[in-house]
Amino acid sequence: MTTLPTTGSLLLPAILLSPVLAMLMIVFIPKEERKLIRIVAAVGTFVAMALSLYAFFAYNRSLGGMQFTLTIPWVPDIGVNLAFGVDGLSLPMLLLTNLIGFSSIYASWNMEKRTKEFFVLLLILITGVMGTFIARDLFIFFLFYEIVVIPIYIMVIIWGSTKRVTKEYAGMKLTIYLLIGSAFLLVALIALYLAAARNGNPTFMFDQLAARQELYSPSFQKVAFGLMLFGFGSLISMFPFHSWSPDGYAGAPTAVSMIHAGVLKKIGGYGLIRLGVYVLPIGARYWAPVIAVLAIGNVLYAAFIALAQKDLKYVVGYSSVSHMGYVLIAIAALNPTAMNGAVAMMFAHGVMSALFFSMIGFIYEKTHTRNIPDLGGLAHQMPRLAIGFMIAGLASLGLPGTVNFIAEFTIFMGTIKVLPVQAILGIAGIIFTAVYTLRVIANVLFGPRRPEWDHLKDIRGPELIPLVILGFVIFSVGIFPNILMGLIDTGVVSSGLTKVLETVSQAKIGGLF
C-alpha cells in the first residue's frame, strides 16, 4: 500500500520545481521579450526562496532529524528512491542556494546577450545545486550533481569574460576538474552501494547506508573515503586540486560566479560530512591528518597568492580557496563543535562571496575593467556599490557582528584542542585575509576622485536586490547567531553525527590494509 504524501512532504518538491516551472515558461517566451523573461525567472526563484524561508523557520528544532520528507520508489530493483528531506545540516544549504539564486537573477538584470538561453541555463543550474542538498538517496544526489556541470561550462564559454586566460580555457579547465572528481566519487559510491547490499537488501538511502557499519571493513572505509576525499575535495577546491577555481570564477559571468562560489563548492564540504564522516567514520579518521595538512595549504598559500593579484575576481577567487581551508580544518577535527563551525562557515562564506562577486560584476559592467590599478575612488561616484563592497570585504575578514565571525570562532573553538598547530596557523591566515581585503577596498573605493569615472551611475532599482538581501543576512545572522547555529547544532546531534564522532575518536585505526 502506497502512503500518500502529506502536505509537509510536498514542500521540498515545490521548492525544487519552482525554478523548473519558470524555466519551462521561459522556453515558450519569445526571445525578444527580455523583460518578461527576467520577471519570470525572478518570480520562480522568489517562490523557491520564500518557501525555503518557510521551511527554515517551520522546521521543528526540538524534534530534529529529517523533516518535510518524501519517499517515492523509483527503481525498486536496485533500491533507488526519489527521496527528499532536510535537517539541520542540509536546510541552511537549501536556504543559502535560494538566497543566492534569487539575488543572482538581479545581478544579471542587464544581461542582453542571448537573454533567454542565459536564464534557462541559470535556472537549471540553481535546480541542480538545490537537488543535491535535499536528496536523501545517493543515486539522486549524484544525479543532481551531474546536472550542475554542463550548464556551468556552456555559461562560461558563451557569457564569460576574463583577461588572463580565455573563457574557453577557464570553462574547459573547470569542467575537466569537476568531471575527474566526479569519476572518483562515482567509483566510491558504487563501491559503497555494493558493500551495503551484501545483506541482500540493496539501498542508496543515506540513513540506511550509515546504519550498515558492520558491512564496511576498516580497509574498505579507508579506500572508499580516500576516493570521496579526492572527488569532494576537488569540488571544494582543496589544495593542491584548487587551480581550476580562480580561473573558473574569473571566466564565469557574475551570476555563475555567485552560485559557483556561494553554493557549488559547498556540495564538496556537505558531501564530506554527510557521506564521508557519517557513513565512513573510520575512513574519515584515517584521512583526517592528511586533510588537516592540506587545509593549511588552502588557508595560507591561497591567501599569499591573493595578496599578489590585480584582477578583482582573482582576489576573491583565491580568497574563496583560502576560506574553504577553514571548513576542511573543521572537518579534520572530527568533533561536534568543529562540525557546527564547518556548516556555519559554508553558509557564511556563501553569502559573503556571492555579495562580493555581485558587486564586482557591477563594477565590471560599468567600468569594463577589473584591474585594481585602473580603479580608485569609486565611492565618490557609486556610494551604494561601495557599501555593498565594504560589507562583503568586512565579512570576509571576520568582523564581529557578521556571520563569518561566528563561523570562524566556532571552528577555532572546536579545533584548538584537537589540531592546535592548524588552528593557530588558521588564525594567522585571518591576518593575511585582512591585508588583501583592506588593500582592495582602499585601492578600489577610496582615494582622490578620478574624473574618468564621473560618468558612472550607481547601482539602483533591481541592482540593489543582492546588496539588500545578502547584506541583511550577513548582519542579521551575525547579530543573532542562534538563528543559524541552533539549527545546525540540532542537525549534528539528531543526525547521529555526534555519536559517530564520539565512537570514532576512541577507535584504533591502524594502517591502510
Side-chain angles (χ1 to χ4, degrees), residues 89 269 273 277 288 291-292 323-347 406-420 422-423 485 488-489 492 497-498 501:
L89 300 178
I273 297 173
V277 177
I291 298 174
H323 279 84
M324 288 302 97
Y326 297 118
V327 175
L328 290 167
I329 292 173
I331 293 174
L334 292 176
N335 68 60
T337 302
M339 288 296 173
N340 285 351
V343 180
M345 187 65 193
M346 289 191 288
F347 183 91
I406 300 300
E408 291 176 4
F409 184 81
T410 306
I411 287 175
F412 295 134
M413 286 292 292
T415 57
I416 191 68
K417 292 183 180 180
V418 184
L419 301 168
Q422 283 82 357
M485 300 304 297
I488 295 173
D489 186 62
V492 172
L497 190 56
T498 299
L501 294 174

Side-chain angles (χ1 to χ4, degrees), residues 276-430:
V277 177
Y278 186 40
V279 179
L280 303 168
I282 300 297
R285 188 178 172 197
Y286 177 80
W287 287 99
V290 176
I291 298 174
V293 172
L294 296 179
I296 294 304
N298 277 73
V299 173
L300 297 181
Y301 172 78
F304 274 117
I305 299 299
L307 284 169
Q309 301 305 305
K310 295 183 179 180
D311 186 307
L312 281 173
K313 274 198 171 184
Y314 273 99
V315 173
V316 181
Y318 280 105
S319 171
S320 177
V321 174
S322 180
H323 279 84
M324 288 302 97
Y326 297 118
V327 175
L328 290 167
I329 292 173
I331 293 174
L334 292 176
N335 68 60
T337 302
M339 288 296 173
N340 285 351
V343 180
M345 187 65 193
M346 289 191 288
F347 183 91
H349 175 265
V351 177
M352 175 274 294
S353 61
L355 179 58
F356 234 146
F357 276 117
S358 67
M359 295 300 107
I360 292 173
F362 288 134
I363 289 175
Y364 182 74
E365 179 184 314
K366 297 173 186 298
T367 66
H368 304 293
T369 183
R370 297 193 305 258
N371 191 36
I372 296 174
D374 294 339
L375 302 168
L378 292 183
H380 295 285
Q381 293 92 353
M382 297 188 289
R384 290 189 290 271
L385 185 146
I387 290 173
F389 199 94
M390 288 183 63
I391 290 174
L394 296 176
S396 176
L397 56 86
L399 182 75
T402 65
V403 62
N404 298 66
F405 172 78
I406 300 300
E408 291 176 4
F409 184 81
T410 306
I411 287 175
F412 295 134
M413 286 292 292
T415 57
I416 191 68
K417 292 183 180 180
V418 184
L419 301 168
V421 174
Q422 283 82 357
I424 292 171
L425 292 174
I427 293 171
I430 296 177

